[in-house]
Amino acid sequence: MPITTVARDGDTDSEAMRAVYVATLFDTSNLKWAPEIFNFAVDLINDHEDGWFDDILDDGTYLETTISNSGCDPHVALPAYWKLRTEWGDPLHGVVGCRCSGASATVARVAGLESVPIVSPTSSDSDLSDADRGFNSFSRLVGPDDERGQVGALVRLLRSMGWDRVSVLATDKTYTLSLATAFGSAWVGDHSAEEVKGGGGANGTATAATTEAWVGEVAFSHTIALGNDGKIDEESVRRALRSVPVDNPHRNSRVILLLAHHEHAYPILKIAGEEGFQKDTIWIGTDGWTDVPPPDGGSSWMPDIPGYLGLVPFRNQDDRYKGFLRRLQVFQRANNRTVTPHLPDYRAEVLVDSLLALVMALSNVAPRDRSDGRAVLTALRELSFAGLSGSVAFTTEGDRANPRYSVMNWQNRREAKWTEVGTIGTSLDSSQVRLEDICWAVRGCGIPIAPSDKPPIPQTSVPTSKLPSWVWVIISILAASVVAGIYLYFRLRRSRQMIREYFEEHMEVAEAKRNIENEIEQREEDIEGLKKRLSYLIQQPLDPQDKPKTWSIDTPNILVEISPEGDTCDEYRTVSDSLCESMPDAHITKLYRVQNHPLWIYFNFHRRRLRNSGVPDDNYRSVWHGTKGNDPARICMDIQDGFLMQHAHEGLWGRGVYFAEKSCYSDDYSFRPAAAVAKGNCTPAGSHEHSERQQLLVVNKRCANVKDDEREIILVRLLVGKETFIERPRPDLKVPPPIDPASTQRYNTVWSYTKGQNGITTKVSVV
């Protein structure tokens, strides 16, 4: 149930007309504090006499807001956005959210079609910076997870300690593996000397220093598996710890970068303690687990001085922060609520600043232009103000400019908390880490120099003999030369080996990203055309959240197995009859219903578009499609696109996606799961973090025990639109022909008749 801030009693009609509508999509199911803090910030903005940003919307405009839960789930976030867009904001001037990158990406793509500004407090996926991927109206209050943000700050933190060799452990999650790949790209290999700007010289001029060239090494890297329940696989952790080269100080590193969410990081650290693993390890964390308590709240299993180090977005404590906190505490006392000694964590600060940024941008635009998302986005990019989270400004891509991070340290087991020991950014001169405030595992606290990243190399004693001193001098020189040569040789060889090993391990992730990037680069959608056509949609749209009556409501899975018995027997029989109509010797071995809610919303979106152009609502038909060498699960589980023209080939009627009325034709292009299993290709693509484990169970079951004669085809509900018959083959067609030679409007679908390999004639539609 959304939590809504409504207009005050006594508002006049003219004031209502001057309202701006800003919705918030946030993970309120896990962050219970969010509604109170957000709604309190709204009240402060609407009060122009409290001394807190009184100049925002000071032209009589009132801020209307509502909060909806988006979780960290695109399946939850997109329907929530659509409901706000169609039923609440009139118009919807902007959205604060979402918390997680997957949810933000899905919402931002749809909002970008109408240039609705989206400002996320915490979504950090680096792809969200790319307007060409559909994120043209997206901004955020954090830096991206690459060299421009957290990864760049991690590199600066490690280098500020004088370290150049680390190990990397990452859990098997999309977010953490992406971080591992980005870190490897930024860290591994040769780095040239760089100039660092310093303070003023003796005559008041700026001084500069030059850093030394260095070679970044990854001593060891491993991906830790997760179980079907989403928890860590403990045996995978132990296997990783046993594989760390602790017995080889020439290869090993004391420093381990742990890329994981908090519910996984702390169990990994606990197992490391139980195994007696390398007690002086310096564990480095990201904002996935830094400054977050263990999931069970206990720390009794930790060593006396854990010494963990990590980064979180900058925790500001200046007068702006204190002023907001003081007002919040007064409000809480006056309303008999629990008084918070400080804001819960950095997400509260950037949540408020996201709202401030969006409302400031609206305030800086003339009232008549506030429904023009592009004008608001321009104003947003030009903002610069002091917020709760520090200085706020945006890059041209919509990222937070010059992001800063707080360096946190878990200093002792008894206090069971993280302590701030400095700040750092992404530039060379951004380090303000107080080494003397850090506590290190085993070594203790108050040490002004960071420990070495490399374990000590045991010294071996060499018996002496009574040789002349000049002989020993020559031997020493020769020995030093030989050792130096051997050291340089093996250092260079090891560096190259580390680079190769690291990238081979993450090659699958990098290759998947490249494939996605290549597909997106080839996309031929005319976004501007979609934006123009959106303005013609009818005022009373279909409810895109009305799911088909046959869908199961008790499962989050996209692929739902259908049984020939019980409530699904009619559905099963309908599909079976359609299959056997032209293939009487075929029978169903497995049948899955596709319950892809985001694609169902897109289907209804285009259904509305066609209805607005005069096409009736029931202008769709059930047709068959074969994917040949592509796993159909890749299409069914894709929550963004479904069928892609990039995979289409030229056929008898041009380049397009072909659908057949009779199954026998699609059987000629059917997918062979047995062959795919043999190649290891019967796995999902596009599965997302919120449900990847559940979906993997379904896909593995689907791919289990397949027989050589089994085939897979898809029964599709095809939105036909305006179609035209083409009598003869036209392999040169690139787009459907125009409806009227004097018009630019084209048919949506072309169709004709053809025969399959069994000689049966069928109607084929090409989109």
Side-chain angles (χ1 to χ4, degrees), residues 170-177 223-226 259 692-693 696:
T171 54
D172 189 11
K173 301 286 283 184
T174 302
Y175 168 72
T176 49
L177 293 179
T223 300
I224 295 175
L226 303 179
L259 304 176
E692 58 187 348
R693 291 294 156 192
L696 198 55

Side-chain angles (χ1 to χ4, degrees), residues 374-446:
R374 285 168 293 189
V376 178
L377 285 169
T378 299
L380 189 65
R381 296 291 193 268
E382 296 172 349
L383 281 180
S384 179
F385 67 94
L388 270 63
S389 61
S391 177
V392 176
F394 297 93
T395 66
T396 55
E397 294 83 10
D399 302 322
R400 185 166 189 159
N402 303 316
R404 295 175 63 196
Y405 297 83
S406 292
V407 182
M408 310 297 291
N409 181 215
W410 194 303
Q411 299 187 332
N412 65 71
R413 180 184 61 198
R414 293 183 303 277
E415 291 187 7
K417 68 174 184 177
W418 291 86
T419 301
E420 190 267 334
V421 293
T423 63
I424 202 159
T426 59
S427 60
L428 287 171
D429 54 352
S430 62
S431 176
Q432 298 182 20
V433 181
R434 304 183 299 276
L435 289 174
E436 65 278 5
D437 289 349
I438 298 176
C439 292
W440 308 95
V442 177
R443 289 173 61 89
C445 310

Side-chain angles (χ1 to χ4, degrees), residues 242-264:
R242 288 194 295 267
S243 301
V244 175
V246 292
D247 296 330
N248 185 352
H250 295 282
R251 282 190 55 194
N252 193 30
S253 174
R254 281 196 181 104
V255 182
I256 297 182
L257 177 60
L258 179 57
L259 304 176
H261 293 89
H262 79 285
E263 66 269 24
H264 301 139

